[in-house]
Amino acid sequence: MIRYSVLFLLLWSPAWGDNLFRVNHAALPDYGVFNGPVERLAPGTLIDLHPETGRSSSSTCFGAQSVSVRLHSLATGKDFTLPVLRGEYVPCEVRAQAMIPSDAPLGAAELSFQADNDLYGPAKIEIVATRFAPFQDFRNTSGFPVSLSSSAPAGQELIVRGTGAGSAKPGDLSGTIGTQPVEVMAVTHTDASGIDEVRFRLPASLDWTGCYVPFRLGEPQTVFLAATNEGGLCPHPLGLNPSQLAALDAGRSIAWVEYGSGGLSAIYASASILRARFAQPAEGCSWEPRVDSPATTKLETGKIAFLEPDSQGGNSLQVGASKDLLPFSIYYRNPAPIQLRSFDPAVPLDPAKDFTIEWNGSGYEWGDVVTARLNPGAGSRPTLACRAPARNGTMKIPLAVWATAYPLKPGEGADLVVDVGRAADWPFTFDVELVNGGRGAGSVSTSQSAWLSLSLVGGAK
Amino acid sequence: MKRAILLLLLASLPGAAQNRVLYVAHYDLDPIAQPGLVDLAPGTAIYLSPRVLGFMGITMGPEAKDLAKVTATIYPLGLDTSYPITIDSPYQSVYDWYAILPATVPIGPAEIVLYDVNGVAYGPAPVRIVRTRFGVDSRGPWAYSPAYVGRVLPTGGEWVKLAKPAVPGDTLWITGTGLGLATLNEIRVEVGGVPMPIRSAGLLAPDTDQILFDVPKDTRLFGCYLPIEVRIGDQVSNRGSIPVSSDPAACPHPLGLSVEEMKALDQNNSVPVLLFSIGGGPGVVREWAFADFEVLGYMDVAMRSGLQLTDAQEYSCSVELSSQPQRATIIRVRPLDAGAALRLQGGAGNADLTSSRVPQGYAFDPTPPALSVFQPGDWKLSGPGGADLSAFEWPFVLPPPLEILNLDALKSMPAPADFEIRWNGTLYRTGDKVTVRTQLDSVNGTLVCASDATSGRMQLPLTRIWPLFATSGSAQLTSQVARRSARPLLSSAPLKAGGTARGMVVYELGSQITWTRVP
């Protein structure tokens, strides 16, 4: 018995290897960064665990039979075994979900992960009192989900599910829908699954309505809610009819054709695929989630014939019939290329200060948006995306936000990509008919980009 | 119990709905439980395979309690209508359901959703409803598998079998599923590559289509395993096999089986068959020989016999995909004892084939591997006799392995173009076949081209595959001289219990070249 205990201790010794794994809050984006900043997690938080399986000839390439997760509190020296709630296996990658124990002491801690005989970690984390972020999961107080065909009406009480509330009380959480605050009424912790429910009330009149109204609660993480002043069907950017909205709500698909810089594509589009394309965060800056390309099933498209541009600079093309689609036409106008003013990328920028870019805002249409994305020149780190109407002609980029979260080493630079295009929720659309007589939807993604390499002074030493 | 708890947890967590998937397959054409877009005609018999993508890669079906009653619906994309799918019964696994698409579902893209008894949805699975996609019912997924073909008689009908083959002047039926909206004048039934006159086509039962056709009185195409397939427009069904003969009592069997032996196979009994095969050659890892002496059933005899293709069918190019339908019925086999070991003499010396348990038979597969034993020339396989077989001697001649004369030109070819591979055809005999396989990747499969070995040349249609090949960047080219399966070197050995066991020698002498092209 003693021998087994010794063996166990040896196995779980923090010195047992350098196999990395990353931990992230299940409701926050996973940027795929190993050895990133210390993740802050509240007791009772649902977490995603990703071992870096590519580094070892591990059994995880063949599917692990068992996984276990342990937490070692550096503050108290106490050890915890975490319940593993869910696991998924994709080739050479194991992803598991576990929950931070609800009695985990606050302060620094380490997480260790074992898949069969492969050991990963430890990963440093910090246990904090609260760090709530919502999932894309809204219901009314009767338990019915908010959906595209049953949007939330102004003034309604809703429940959003999320994780990481920890010891938060209603007064500790603040949130917005669009640009208006919401009233947080109650926080309920469901200990067994790591899911928390927050009850809140929408404003009596909504300034921003639609199928994808940005919503924040707790962490600066945006999810999207179908909300209208009257409730019922939401006005979809693609102009979808009630039966198409109902199909998406039921988990089915619509035929969606998009024309953009990548050419013409037609797919079976689910609600989540359309949300990823058309949900538009509010103006200002936010971390852009790492989006894994969803598996899609393609529809067949016919041959494309390009027509001469018209006198207004409009482009037209005609697409022939295919096995799935009848012939259709597309019309769109590209926005004018972005012209940045008085900006010398060779001059190093001070990461402690805001950085303002200016451009010629004349000639843009309502619905044209400028997006500036700041990301490091190398490696996989989150992108800070800032948006402003193209007509504004100016935008502030808070370099400090980016540089504090992900300090650059001396000599490292960053790329700034400035892009002007139609707002995601205001696209050029076109009609698509299927060979079965049904209706699909079409949209155009237009953008004009400028790439700049920035160098920042005073990187982390 | 643990599994039940796990499923409850899955259902309660965010994103759990994505774990419930549905796979759809055409009954005769597609692998069961594989992802991907499937083309189906209205009224087609299909498999529906709900799955929960579960913990640590374990894929499982719904909980048993969900199996009492399930429903399925097809939703045409973009339409405000739906059509119930008739679910018939579980197939093999309780998680795979046999079902029939409605005949009225409109042509175009659609999705299928399966609901368990609690209304929990699996899917949606994308499908494309097409006018027609016909699959032939056969006894297995392979081309040599006997198709279900019957003969129309004044009193009804009977199945066509080896000892009751189709004969000139017969009216036959073939069944399958997926005719859909095909019209009579666009349906072609081909036997041995020759179109047969069609009499009628239509629904025989809710899940079965039937085509009636005649065997022309002047046909001269005979064999026990002639390929039969159905062409509708530019679509080709799966292949099955059919026996056709001028003799109503038996077809001309490629292994020389007697009428009594063929009757035994027709009645799902088994017969002794002796197969001796030799493989290896330059560039191949090792040389080997294997004597597979067994009592075999219908399907295994069909497999060893192979399809009896016309020269035009045999000597052509096609793309082989790695996945195959999974439905098959294999009759169990019993090994035959021919003594403790067999001896192979000739060429560079002797080789002993010792008794092997896995696979069961007599094997020559030495360690370290043999690399130059099987020289061309005269050889003899002999056995001392055992519990089942008496002593025997089989003489045979091995051809030289294939030597491509202009391989350097292929490797230095500057641009994709069709290419003629050449070798010395005078070294080979009638019945020898050269096969060149160009392995692309797991998605695009393998380009397989075959040619008569005596011709000394083969046209490799690289321009046809170049768009596929360009994605992989390199290819592996394997060439092989083999005995054409429909024309093996026949032999026999006396059975101790009386009678004779039919035998054959086949060889597969190959070379393997890694042919790297950077597009």
PDB file of all heavy atoms in Angstrom, chain A residues 310-338:
ATOM      1  N   ASP A 310     -21.036  48.941 -63.814  1.00  0.00           N
ATOM      2  CA  ASP A 310     -21.922  50.008 -64.272  1.00  0.00           C
ATOM      3  C   ASP A 310     -21.316  51.376 -63.935  1.00  0.00           C
ATOM      4  O   ASP A 310     -20.225  51.462 -63.355  1.00  0.00           O
ATOM      5  CB  ASP A 310     -23.329  49.838 -63.685  1.00  0.00           C
ATOM      6  CG  ASP A 310     -23.356  49.981 -62.171  1.00  0.00           C
ATOM      7  OD1 ASP A 310     -22.369  50.518 -61.612  1.00  0.00           O
ATOM      8  OD2 ASP A 310     -24.336  49.567 -61.551  1.00  0.00           O
ATOM      9  N   SER A 311     -22.046  52.447 -64.279  1.00  0.00           N
ATOM     10  CA  SER A 311     -21.490  53.791 -64.114  1.00  0.00           C
ATOM     11  C   SER A 311     -21.313  54.171 -62.652  1.00  0.00           C
ATOM     12  O   SER A 311     -20.555  55.071 -62.317  1.00  0.00           O
ATOM     13  CB  SER A 311     -22.394  54.816 -64.807  1.00  0.00           C
ATOM     14  OG  SER A 311     -23.712  54.680 -64.303  1.00  0.00           O
ATOM     15  N   GLN A 312     -22.023  53.497 -61.721  1.00  0.00           N
ATOM     16  CA  GLN A 312     -21.867  53.786 -60.287  1.00  0.00           C
ATOM     17  C   GLN A 312     -20.777  52.916 -59.643  1.00  0.00           C
ATOM     18  O   GLN A 312     -20.647  52.873 -58.419  1.00  0.00           O
ATOM     19  CB  GLN A 312     -23.175  53.539 -59.533  1.00  0.00           C
ATOM     20  CG  GLN A 312     -24.196  54.656 -59.669  1.00  0.00           C
ATOM     21  CD  GLN A 312     -24.984  54.545 -60.951  1.00  0.00           C
ATOM     22  OE1 GLN A 312     -25.413  53.457 -61.335  1.00  0.00           O
ATOM     23  NE2 GLN A 312     -25.158  55.660 -61.640  1.00  0.00           N
ATOM     24  N   GLY A 313     -20.029  52.217 -60.450  1.00  0.00           N
ATOM     25  CA  GLY A 313     -18.993  51.343 -59.896  1.00  0.00           C
ATOM     26  C   GLY A 313     -19.526  50.023 -59.399  1.00  0.00           C
ATOM     27  O   GLY A 313     -18.846  49.290 -58.694  1.00  0.00           O
ATOM     28  N   GLY A 314     -20.762  49.703 -59.752  1.00  0.00           N
ATOM     29  CA  GLY A 314     -21.357  48.435 -59.310  1.00  0.00           C
ATOM     30  C   GLY A 314     -20.890  47.275 -60.171  1.00  0.00           C
ATOM     31  O   GLY A 314     -20.707  47.420 -61.375  1.00  0.00           O
ATOM     32  N   ASN A 315     -20.675  46.164 -59.523  1.00  0.00           N
ATOM     33  CA  ASN A 315     -20.226  44.960 -60.227  1.00  0.00           C
ATOM     34  C   ASN A 315     -21.381  43.972 -60.315  1.00  0.00           C
ATOM     35  O   ASN A 315     -22.152  43.824 -59.371  1.00  0.00           O
ATOM     36  CB  ASN A 315     -19.082  44.298 -59.464  1.00  0.00           C
ATOM     37  CG  ASN A 315     -17.912  45.234 -59.292  1.00  0.00           C
ATOM     38  OD1 ASN A 315     -17.218  45.551 -60.249  1.00  0.00           O
ATOM     39  ND2 ASN A 315     -17.715  45.719 -58.072  1.00  0.00           N
ATOM     40  N   SER A 316     -21.479  43.312 -61.451  1.00  0.00           N
ATOM     41  CA  SER A 316     -22.536  42.318 -61.631  1.00  0.00           C
ATOM     42  C   SER A 316     -21.922  41.020 -62.124  1.00  0.00           C
ATOM     43  O   SER A 316     -20.956  41.012 -62.885  1.00  0.00           O
ATOM     44  CB  SER A 316     -23.551  42.789 -62.667  1.00  0.00           C
ATOM     45  OG  SER A 316     -24.195  43.945 -62.214  1.00  0.00           O
ATOM     46  N   LEU A 317     -22.477  39.939 -61.666  1.00  0.00           N
ATOM     47  CA  LEU A 317     -22.111  38.643 -62.223  1.00  0.00           C
ATOM     48  C   LEU A 317     -23.337  37.748 -62.260  1.00  0.00           C
ATOM     49  O   LEU A 317     -24.271  37.933 -61.478  1.00  0.00           O
ATOM     50  CB  LEU A 317     -20.956  37.978 -61.475  1.00  0.00           C
ATOM     51  CG  LEU A 317     -20.977  37.920 -59.974  1.00  0.00           C
ATOM     52  CD1 LEU A 317     -20.534  36.563 -59.514  1.00  0.00           C
ATOM     53  CD2 LEU A 317     -20.017  38.953 -59.424  1.00  0.00           C
ATOM     54  N   GLN A 318     -23.304  36.822 -63.190  1.00  0.00           N
ATOM     55  CA  GLN A 318     -24.401  35.876 -63.314  1.00  0.00           C
ATOM     56  C   GLN A 318     -23.854  34.483 -63.116  1.00  0.00           C
ATOM     57  O   GLN A 318     -22.792  34.144 -63.644  1.00  0.00           O
ATOM     58  CB  GLN A 318     -25.051  36.014 -64.689  1.00  0.00           C
ATOM     59  CG  GLN A 318     -25.802  37.333 -64.820  1.00  0.00           C
ATOM     60  CD  GLN A 318     -26.459  37.506 -66.174  1.00  0.00           C
ATOM     61  OE1 GLN A 318     -26.049  36.893 -67.149  1.00  0.00           O
ATOM     62  NE2 GLN A 318     -27.468  38.353 -66.221  1.00  0.00           N
ATOM     63  N   VAL A 319     -24.605  33.695 -62.358  1.00  0.00           N
ATOM     64  CA  VAL A 319     -24.174  32.329 -62.043  1.00  0.00           C
ATOM     65  C   VAL A 319     -25.174  31.370 -62.664  1.00  0.00           C
ATOM     66  O   VAL A 319     -26.392  31.508 -62.477  1.00  0.00           O
ATOM     67  CB  VAL A 319     -24.102  32.125 -60.513  1.00  0.00           C
ATOM     68  CG1 VAL A 319     -23.598  30.723 -60.183  1.00  0.00           C
ATOM     69  CG2 VAL A 319     -23.190  33.170 -59.876  1.00  0.00           C
ATOM     70  N   GLY A 320     -24.654  30.412 -63.384  1.00  0.00           N
ATOM     71  CA  GLY A 320     -25.505  29.464 -64.094  1.00  0.00           C
ATOM     72  C   GLY A 320     -26.113  28.422 -63.181  1.00  0.00           C
ATOM     73  O   GLY A 320     -25.822  28.355 -61.981  1.00  0.00           O
ATOM     74  N   ALA A 321     -26.956  27.586 -63.759  1.00  0.00           N
ATOM     75  CA  ALA A 321     -27.651  26.548 -62.987  1.00  0.00           C
ATOM     76  C   ALA A 321     -26.686  25.445 -62.574  1.00  0.00           C
ATOM     77  O   ALA A 321     -25.653  25.220 -63.213  1.00  0.00           O
ATOM     78  CB  ALA A 321     -28.781  25.971 -63.825  1.00  0.00           C
ATOM     79  N   SER A 322     -27.041  24.757 -61.499  1.00  0.00           N
ATOM     80  CA  SER A 322     -26.250  23.614 -61.024  1.00  0.00           C
ATOM     81  C   SER A 322     -27.217  22.535 -60.551  1.00  0.00           C
ATOM     82  O   SER A 322     -28.438  22.697 -60.656  1.00  0.00           O
ATOM     83  CB  SER A 322     -25.345  24.046 -59.869  1.00  0.00           C
ATOM     84  OG  SER A 322     -26.130  24.325 -58.728  1.00  0.00           O
ATOM     85  N   LYS A 323     -26.660  21.455 -60.021  1.00  0.00           N
ATOM     86  CA  LYS A 323     -27.501  20.382 -59.477  1.00  0.00           C
ATOM     87  C   LYS A 323     -28.428  20.876 -58.379  1.00  0.00           C
ATOM     88  O   LYS A 323     -29.484  20.317 -58.145  1.00  0.00           O
ATOM     89  CB  LYS A 323     -26.613  19.298 -58.845  1.00  0.00           C
ATOM     90  CG  LYS A 323     -26.117  18.239 -59.772  1.00  0.00           C
ATOM     91  CD  LYS A 323     -25.360  17.222 -58.939  1.00  0.00           C
ATOM     92  CE  LYS A 323     -24.606  16.259 -59.820  1.00  0.00           C
ATOM     93  NZ  LYS A 323     -23.696  15.404 -59.032  1.00  0.00           N
ATOM     94  N   ASP A 324     -27.976  21.921 -57.654  1.00  0.00           N
ATOM     95  CA  ASP A 324     -28.719  22.360 -56.473  1.00  0.00           C
ATOM     96  C   ASP A 324     -29.448  23.682 -56.651  1.00  0.00           C
ATOM     97  O   ASP A 324     -30.478  23.908 -56.019  1.00  0.00           O
ATOM     98  CB  ASP A 324     -27.757  22.497 -55.281  1.00  0.00           C
ATOM     99  CG  ASP A 324     -27.109  21.179 -54.920  1.00  0.00           C
ATOM    100  OD1 ASP A 324     -27.840  20.173 -54.861  1.00  0.00           O
ATOM    101  OD2 ASP A 324     -25.883  21.140 -54.710  1.00  0.00           O
ATOM    102  N   LEU A 325     -28.891  24.567 -57.478  1.00  0.00           N
ATOM    103  CA  LEU A 325     -29.385  25.948 -57.520  1.00  0.00           C
ATOM    104  C   LEU A 325     -29.804  26.342 -58.926  1.00  0.00           C
ATOM    105  O   LEU A 325     -29.166  25.934 -59.917  1.00  0.00           O
ATOM    106  CB  LEU A 325     -28.292  26.913 -57.035  1.00  0.00           C
ATOM    107  CG  LEU A 325     -27.711  26.627 -55.645  1.00  0.00           C
ATOM    108  CD1 LEU A 325     -26.494  27.504 -55.386  1.00  0.00           C
ATOM    109  CD2 LEU A 325     -28.759  26.859 -54.571  1.00  0.00           C
ATOM    110  N   LEU A 326     -30.842  27.180 -59.026  1.00  0.00           N
ATOM    111  CA  LEU A 326     -31.230  27.769 -60.298  1.00  0.00           C
ATOM    112  C   LEU A 326     -30.283  28.946 -60.584  1.00  0.00           C
ATOM    113  O   LEU A 326     -29.600  29.430 -59.669  1.00  0.00           O
ATOM    114  CB  LEU A 326     -32.691  28.236 -60.220  1.00  0.00           C
ATOM    115  CG  LEU A 326     -33.734  27.144 -59.953  1.00  0.00           C
ATOM    116  CD1 LEU A 326     -35.134  27.752 -59.866  1.00  0.00           C
ATOM    117  CD2 LEU A 326     -33.682  26.066 -61.028  1.00  0.00           C
ATOM    118  N   PRO A 327     -30.255  29.428 -61.830  1.00  0.00           N
ATOM    119  CA  PRO A 327     -29.372  30.571 -62.123  1.00  0.00           C
ATOM    120  C   PRO A 327     -29.740  31.784 -61.263  1.00  0.00           C
ATOM    121  O   PRO A 327     -30.914  31.985 -60.934  1.00  0.00           O
ATOM    122  CB  PRO A 327     -29.645  30.853 -63.609  1.00  0.00           C
ATOM    123  CG  PRO A 327     -30.217  29.593 -64.146  1.00  0.00           C
ATOM    124  CD  PRO A 327     -30.970  28.946 -63.019  1.00  0.00           C
ATOM    125  N   PHE A 328     -28.727  32.567 -60.896  1.00  0.00           N
ATOM    126  CA  PHE A 328     -28.992  33.778 -60.110  1.00  0.00           C
ATOM    127  C   PHE A 328     -27.970  34.858 -60.465  1.00  0.00           C
ATOM    128  O   PHE A 328     -26.943  34.579 -61.093  1.00  0.00           O
ATOM    129  CB  PHE A 328     -28.982  33.492 -58.597  1.00  0.00           C
ATOM    130  CG  PHE A 328     -27.703  32.896 -58.086  1.00  0.00           C
ATOM    131  CD1 PHE A 328     -26.674  33.698 -57.599  1.00  0.00           C
ATOM    132  CD2 PHE A 328     -27.538  31.516 -58.065  1.00  0.00           C
ATOM    133  CE1 PHE A 328     -25.508  33.142 -57.104  1.00  0.00           C
ATOM    134  CE2 PHE A 328     -26.355  30.951 -57.590  1.00  0.00           C
ATOM    135  CZ  PHE A 328     -25.346  31.760 -57.111  1.00  0.00           C
ATOM    136  N   SER A 329     -28.302  36.094 -60.046  1.00  0.00           N
ATOM    137  CA  SER A 329     -27.436  37.241 -60.338  1.00  0.00           C
ATOM    138  C   SER A 329     -26.963  37.869 -59.035  1.00  0.00           C
ATOM    139  O   SER A 329     -27.656  37.810 -58.011  1.00  0.00           O
ATOM    140  CB  SER A 329     -28.200  38.304 -61.130  1.00  0.00           C
ATOM    141  OG  SER A 329     -28.736  37.745 -62.286  1.00  0.00           O
ATOM    142  N   ILE A 330     -25.797  38.484 -59.108  1.00  0.00           N
ATOM    143  CA  ILE A 330     -25.219  39.155 -57.935  1.00  0.00           C
ATOM    144  C   ILE A 330     -24.847  40.578 -58.342  1.00  0.00           C
ATOM    145  O   ILE A 330     -24.305  40.782 -59.423  1.00  0.00           O
ATOM    146  CB  ILE A 330     -23.949  38.409 -57.445  1.00  0.00           C
ATOM    147  CG1 ILE A 330     -24.283  36.964 -57.046  1.00  0.00           C
ATOM    148  CG2 ILE A 330     -23.277  39.150 -56.293  1.00  0.00           C
ATOM    149  CD1 ILE A 330     -23.061  36.129 -56.718  1.00  0.00           C
ATOM    150  N   TYR A 331     -25.156  41.527 -57.466  1.00  0.00           N
ATOM    151  CA  TYR A 331     -24.745  42.915 -57.696  1.00  0.00           C
ATOM    152  C   TYR A 331     -24.143  43.451 -56.397  1.00  0.00           C
ATOM    153  O   TYR A 331     -24.672  43.219 -55.320  1.00  0.00           O
ATOM    154  CB  TYR A 331     -25.947  43.781 -58.097  1.00  0.00           C
ATOM    155  CG  TYR A 331     -25.589  45.241 -58.267  1.00  0.00           C
ATOM    156  CD1 TYR A 331     -25.076  45.697 -59.473  1.00  0.00           C
ATOM    157  CD2 TYR A 331     -25.757  46.137 -57.216  1.00  0.00           C
ATOM    158  CE1 TYR A 331     -24.736  47.032 -59.630  1.00  0.00           C
ATOM    159  CE2 TYR A 331     -25.411  47.474 -57.371  1.00  0.00           C
ATOM    160  CZ  TYR A 331     -24.904  47.908 -58.578  1.00  0.00           C
ATOM    161  OH  TYR A 331     -24.544  49.228 -58.720  1.00  0.00           O
ATOM    162  N   TYR A 332     -23.023  44.149 -56.518  1.00  0.00           N
ATOM    163  CA  TYR A 332     -22.430  44.743 -55.314  1.00  0.00           C
ATOM    164  C   TYR A 332     -21.501  45.883 -55.713  1.00  0.00           C
ATOM    165  O   TYR A 332     -21.101  46.007 -56.876  1.00  0.00           O
ATOM    166  CB  TYR A 332     -21.642  43.694 -54.516  1.00  0.00           C
ATOM    167  CG  TYR A 332     -20.405  43.194 -55.217  1.00  0.00           C
ATOM    168  CD1 TYR A 332     -19.148  43.729 -54.928  1.00  0.00           C
ATOM    169  CD2 TYR A 332     -20.488  42.196 -56.179  1.00  0.00           C
ATOM    170  CE1 TYR A 332     -18.019  43.279 -55.581  1.00  0.00           C
ATOM    171  CE2 TYR A 332     -19.367  41.743 -56.835  1.00  0.00           C
ATOM    172  CZ  TYR A 332     -18.136  42.287 -56.532  1.00  0.00           C
ATOM    173  OH  TYR A 332     -17.020  41.845 -57.192  1.00  0.00           O
ATOM    174  N   ARG A 333     -21.177  46.704 -54.729  1.00  0.00           N
ATOM    175  CA  ARG A 333     -20.210  47.772 -54.947  1.00  0.00           C
ATOM    176  C   ARG A 333     -19.110  47.645 -53.911  1.00  0.00           C
ATOM    177  O   ARG A 333     -19.393  47.504 -52.711  1.00  0.00           O
ATOM    178  CB  ARG A 333     -20.868  49.152 -54.821  1.00  0.00           C
ATOM    179  CG  ARG A 333     -21.836  49.489 -55.932  1.00  0.00           C
ATOM    180  CD  ARG A 333     -22.381  50.907 -55.782  1.00  0.00           C
ATOM    181  NE  ARG A 333     -23.051  51.118 -54.512  1.00  0.00           N
ATOM    182  CZ  ARG A 333     -24.307  50.767 -54.262  1.00  0.00           C
ATOM    183  NH1 ARG A 333     -25.025  50.191 -55.208  1.00  0.00           N
ATOM    184  NH2 ARG A 333     -24.851  50.989 -53.081  1.00  0.00           N
ATOM    185  N   ASN A 334     -17.883  47.681 -54.371  1.00  0.00           N
ATOM    186  CA  ASN A 334     -16.765  47.670 -53.426  1.00  0.00           C
ATOM    187  C   ASN A 334     -16.611  49.050 -52.810  1.00  0.00           C
ATOM    188  O   ASN A 334     -16.776  50.064 -53.512  1.00  0.00           O
ATOM    189  CB  ASN A 334     -15.458  47.326 -54.148  1.00  0.00           C
ATOM    190  CG  ASN A 334     -15.223  45.841 -54.197  1.00  0.00           C
ATOM    191  OD1 ASN A 334     -15.526  45.126 -53.246  1.00  0.00           O
ATOM    192  ND2 ASN A 334     -14.704  45.377 -55.307  1.00  0.00           N
ATOM    193  N   PRO A 335     -16.313  49.141 -51.528  1.00  0.00           N
ATOM    194  CA  PRO A 335     -16.014  50.456 -50.954  1.00  0.00           C
ATOM    195  C   PRO A 335     -14.680  50.966 -51.501  1.00  0.00           C
ATOM    196  O   PRO A 335     -13.874  50.173 -52.009  1.00  0.00           O
ATOM    197  CB  PRO A 335     -15.930  50.169 -49.458  1.00  0.00           C
ATOM    198  CG  PRO A 335     -15.553  48.737 -49.363  1.00  0.00           C
ATOM    199  CD  PRO A 335     -16.162  48.057 -50.563  1.00  0.00           C
ATOM    200  N   ALA A 336     -14.504  52.275 -51.388  1.00  0.00           N
ATOM    201  CA  ALA A 336     -13.220  52.843 -51.831  1.00  0.00           C
ATOM    202  C   ALA A 336     -12.095  52.289 -50.961  1.00  0.00           C
ATOM    203  O   ALA A 336     -12.303  52.033 -49.771  1.00  0.00           O
ATOM    204  CB  ALA A 336     -13.278  54.359 -51.704  1.00  0.00           C
ATOM    205  N   PRO A 337     -10.899  52.105 -51.530  1.00  0.00           N
ATOM    206  CA  PRO A 337      -9.775  51.620 -50.711  1.00  0.00           C
ATOM    207  C   PRO A 337      -9.490  52.579 -49.561  1.00  0.00           C
ATOM    208  O   PRO A 337      -9.713  53.784 -49.676  1.00  0.00           O
ATOM    209  CB  PRO A 337      -8.602  51.575 -51.693  1.00  0.00           C
ATOM    210  CG  PRO A 337      -9.207  51.614 -53.052  1.00  0.00           C
ATOM    211  CD  PRO A 337     -10.515  52.338 -52.912  1.00  0.00           C
ATOM    212  N   ILE A 338      -9.002  52.036 -48.477  1.00  0.00           N
ATOM    213  CA  ILE A 338      -8.702  52.869 -47.302  1.00  0.00           C
ATOM    214  C   ILE A 338      -7.453  53.718 -47.591  1.00  0.00           C
ATOM    215  O   ILE A 338      -6.490  53.231 -48.158  1.00  0.00           O
ATOM    216  CB  ILE A 338      -8.508  51.980 -46.055  1.00  0.00           C
ATOM    217  CG1 ILE A 338      -8.434  52.808 -44.786  1.00  0.00           C
ATOM    218  CG2 ILE A 338      -7.286  51.098 -46.160  1.00  0.00           C
ATOM    219  CD1 ILE A 338      -9.763  52.991 -44.155  1.00  0.00           C
TER     220      ILE A 338
END
